[in-house]
Amino acid sequence: GERYAHINHADRPWRDAINRPGAAQMVHLRRLMESRPYFDRIPDQSVVTFDGGERGEYRTATRDSQGRYALVYLPTPHFPVTARLDWAASGAVRAWWYNPRTGGAALIGAFVADKPVTFDPPVDGPDWVLVLDDAAQDFPAPGQQF
């Protein structure tokens, strides 16, 4: 038996959960967070140009308050995401897909930040982060130390 009642809809004891793939993958998410300036990040759903989806499809957005980068988390690859880029300080954005399951990053390309851009997530698996960097920052690939 467990000493404490389950919270947050847990479906297994923590001793079992710690061996699930998601537990080992948390290191990739941490590396992503640490690869961009951390303390100026603010939530900003307006980066995504629609309501963000419902329940398991909900896309969450955050950005740097100084216009250096934005992140959009996509739990599923089923739908494209349209993102505003006009927050970028220099007016130019370099976009990446980051795979929090593996820590891999793929460069999408460079964009002028004058209008929203639609991005199609990779289809090989759930969980993607769209990383939008102000091009003038010349950040390394997401997950790499700057």
Side-chain angles (χ1 to χ4, degrees), residues 2-34:
E2 290 293 309
R3 288 177 51 189
Y4 303 102
H6 291 241
I7 59 171
N8 292 336
H9 312 289
D11 64 355
R12 67 195 78 229
W14 73 266
R15 288 177 186 86
D16 295 337
I18 200 74
N19 294 315
R20 302 279 296 164
Q25 293 162 3
M26 289 304 293
V27 68
H28 302 306
L29 204 49
R30 178 179 177 161
R31 286 184 181 139
L32 170 63
M33 296 295 118
E34 292 177 345

Side-chain angles (χ1 to χ4, degrees), residues 65-125:
S65 63
Q66 298 180 35
R68 295 176 289 187
Y69 69 92
L71 306 173
V72 181
Y73 171 68
L74 287 73
T76 65
H78 304 306
F79 304 106
V81 60
T82 301
R84 280 183 34 251
L85 306 180
D86 58 359
W87 50 263
S90 74
V93 169
R94 188 177 324 151
W96 307 80
W97 285 115
Y98 182 76
N99 184 337
R101 291 166 283 124
T102 66
L107 181 64
I108 301 168
F111 302 86
V112 177
D114 60 348
K115 63 182 184 294
V117 175
T118 300
F119 298 92
D120 289 306
V123 295
D124 54 327

Side-chain angles (χ1 to χ4, degrees), residues 54-70:
E54 297 179 1
R55 293 192 284 220
E57 296 286 338
Y58 190 74
R59 290 105 181 273
T60 305
T62 183
R63 68 174 173 82
D64 178 72
S65 63
Q66 298 180 35
R68 295 176 289 187
Y69 69 92

